Amino acid sequence: MLLDQLGRIDLNLLIILQVLLEERNGSKAARRLHLSQSAVSKALGRLRETFDDPLFIRSAYGLEPTDRALTLQQQLQPILLSLDNLIRPPVFDPSSSEREFVISSMDSAFTLFAPLYLNELKRQAPRIRLRYEEWTENSLTEMSQGQVDIAFTVRENCISSDYRLDTLPSSICQRLLTIDGLTCLVQQQHPALRAPCWDLDHYLSYPHVQTYCEGRDRWMLDHKLAEQDLYRRIEANVPSFEAALRMGMHSDMIVTLPQLYARHATQVYPLLQLPLPIALDNISHLLIWHQRHNEDPGHRWLRETLLTLIMSKLEPSITERT
């Protein structure tokens, strides 16, 4: 009886429904599925008949799913993933694969780690495609939905931070790449370089440029200062460290950033380093992925290759050197 019922359902319709639930827009869903809007519209009509529910209501913001559609979304995702795993080849040959991998990364992590693995990765797998996306507040959700394969990110090793290692969902696997600290960069004519001393009072007396990530513009440093009723004078918020460095080049704003990335920056930009004049817990650079990929041969090859190449070429962590 169950097989008879399943035989009446076109599995392609379930895929279309899943994409509609993810995109909430008929045009975007059609482009992603390589179908015409008319074909997607007809498929939605059949889905409505199958489930005896409108499934989506048109609004100014696109297609709003009904309660029934949201319930189906929770049930659909593991089913489709299981089907995908069922038909996926059991082996992965990097030398011939044309698979595309989506890598999400902060700009600093891309700059630090990509040079360590890219040449060898492409030598082993010359036909794979790498699509890089910016790490944002939506990246973990995209990873849980299967839209991101692997990511480079940073977590703060501070018990009072809500950006700690243990705040990652339990479904996210992680490997530590290196431990890092924070430091300051200033332009070569910055008045702080002529001051008789460099301390916290001087640090706070100058303007700052702040890099925001995952929708956050306050970090462990700011929470630590706030405990002492102290605050930085942030005059600019920017979405990347590269933007922060360029602003620091042309102003007296101080750039506070990870030490490993600062070492790269001073080789590229006319900036000088000053120590961060406050004791602060370290940060961790991580490679993360969703646990659903653990047994995927291609994904396993990607993460193991990335880890091997990065760990073999990365210098000892800052905390091990100090």
Side-chain angles (χ1 to χ4, degrees):
M1 180 67 72
L2 176 60
L3 291 177
D4 291 341
Q5 291 175 336
L6 289 176
R8 292 197 295 269
I9 299 177
D10 184 348
L11 292 180
N12 288 320
L13 291 178
L14 299 182
I15 295 172
I16 293 172
L17 175 57
Q18 177 67 17
V19 173
L20 282 169
L21 285 164
E22 291 175 1
E23 297 292 348
R24 311 286 175 94
N25 182 288
S27 299
K28 290 182 179 179
R31 286 196 297 270
R32 186 170 157 190
L33 291 161
H34 303 290
L35 296 174
S36 67
Q37 286 187 251
S38 174
V40 171
S41 180
K42 290 179 181 178
L44 179 56
R46 293 176 61 191
L47 283 163
R48 285 168 167 161
E49 291 179 4
T50 299
F51 294 105
D52 192 24
D53 188 271
L55 298 176
F56 296 93
I57 307 297
R58 294 192 180 277
S59 73
Y61 304 101
L63 297 175
E64 295 292 329
T66 64
D67 290 343
R68 173 70 165 139
L70 291 174
T71 300
L72 287 170
Q73 184 175 26
Q74 295 178 352
Q75 299 170 329
L76 262 179
Q77 190 171 345
I79 292 172
L80 292 177
L81 285 171
S82 295
L83 288 172
D84 182 62
N85 289 332
L86 182 66
I87 64 175
R88 188 183 298 277
V91 295
F92 176 81
D93 180 8
S95 65
S96 60
S97 174
E98 297 183 358
R99 182 171 171 180
E100 179 180 79
F101 293 101
V102 180
I103 301 175
S104 182
S105 177
M106 300 171 63
D107 67 322
S108 58
F110 177 82
T111 301
L112 285 174
F113 301 124
L116 304 182
Y117 66 76
L118 199 52
N119 281 343
E120 178 61 20
L121 193 74
K122 292 299 291 180
R123 188 192 68 78
Q124 293 185 29
R127 300 170 70 181
I128 65 166
R129 300 183 303 278
L130 303 178
R131 180 157 62 90
Y132 286 90
E133 296 185 351
E134 181 185 1
W135 179 261
T136 71
E137 63 268 30
N138 300 318
S139 295
L140 280 175
T141 299
E142 292 169 354
M143 183 172 284
S144 69
Q145 293 175 346
Q147 299 174 41
V148 171
D149 289 297
I150 206 161
F152 294 93
T153 188
V154 169
R155 279 297 189 264
E156 296 173 334
N157 302 325
C158 175
I159 193 170
S160 61
S161 171
D162 57 359
Y163 200 57
R164 303 183 310 274
L165 291 172
D166 59 7
T167 61
L168 287 170
S170 59
S171 59
I172 298 298
C173 303
Q174 57 180 268
R175 284 290 300 273
L176 175 67
L177 298 175
T178 189
I179 301 294
D180 204 350
L182 297 180
T183 191
C184 307
L185 292 182
V186 297
Q187 60 148 315
Q188 294 179 344
Q189 289 77 41
H190 199 284
L193 299 171
R194 300 188 296 271
C197 67
W198 173 247
D199 56 21
L200 185 57
D201 288 339
H202 281 82
Y203 175 76
L204 296 177
S205 69
Y206 294 107
H208 294 253
V209 55
Q210 176 83 317
T211 301
Y212 59 84
C213 179
E214 292 195 26
R216 304 165 188 258
D217 56 10
R218 281 174 58 83
W219 301 96
M220 175 174 59
L221 168 62
D222 299 291
H223 294 301
K224 185 74 171 180
L225 289 170
E227 292 174 0
Q228 305 174 49
D229 201 27
L230 298 173
Y231 303 91
R232 291 187 293 164
R233 178 157 52 95
I234 297 174
E235 293 191 350
N237 287 281
V238 294
S240 70
F241 283 112
E242 291 292 326
L245 293 172
R246 292 188 176 275
M247 297 196 75
M249 285 170 50
H250 301 290
S251 72
D252 286 342
M253 286 188 284
I254 296 174
V255 184
T256 303
L257 72 174
Q259 291 184 45
L260 285 174
Y261 186 63
R263 291 172 56 196
H264 152 80
T266 54
Q267 297 173 8
V268 178
Y269 298 99
L271 296 165
L272 297 176
Q273 184 172 335
L274 288 170
L276 182 67
I278 182 174
L280 209 61
D281 292 292
N282 293 314
I283 60 176
S284 295
H285 294 274
L286 303 175
L287 186 70
I288 64 173
W289 65 93
H290 196 278
Q291 64 182 11
R292 77 160 63 87
H293 296 303
N294 281 344
E295 304 307 319
D296 179 316
H299 197 282
R300 187 189 308 121
W301 169 84
L302 174 65
R303 63 179 184 265
E304 290 180 354
T305 303
L306 288 175
L307 286 165
T308 298
L309 293 173
I310 291 172
M311 300 305 288
S312 66
K313 297 179 181 180
L314 195 64
E315 295 182 26
S317 69
I318 286 177
T319 53
E320 292 173 344
R321 291 197 301 268
T322 55

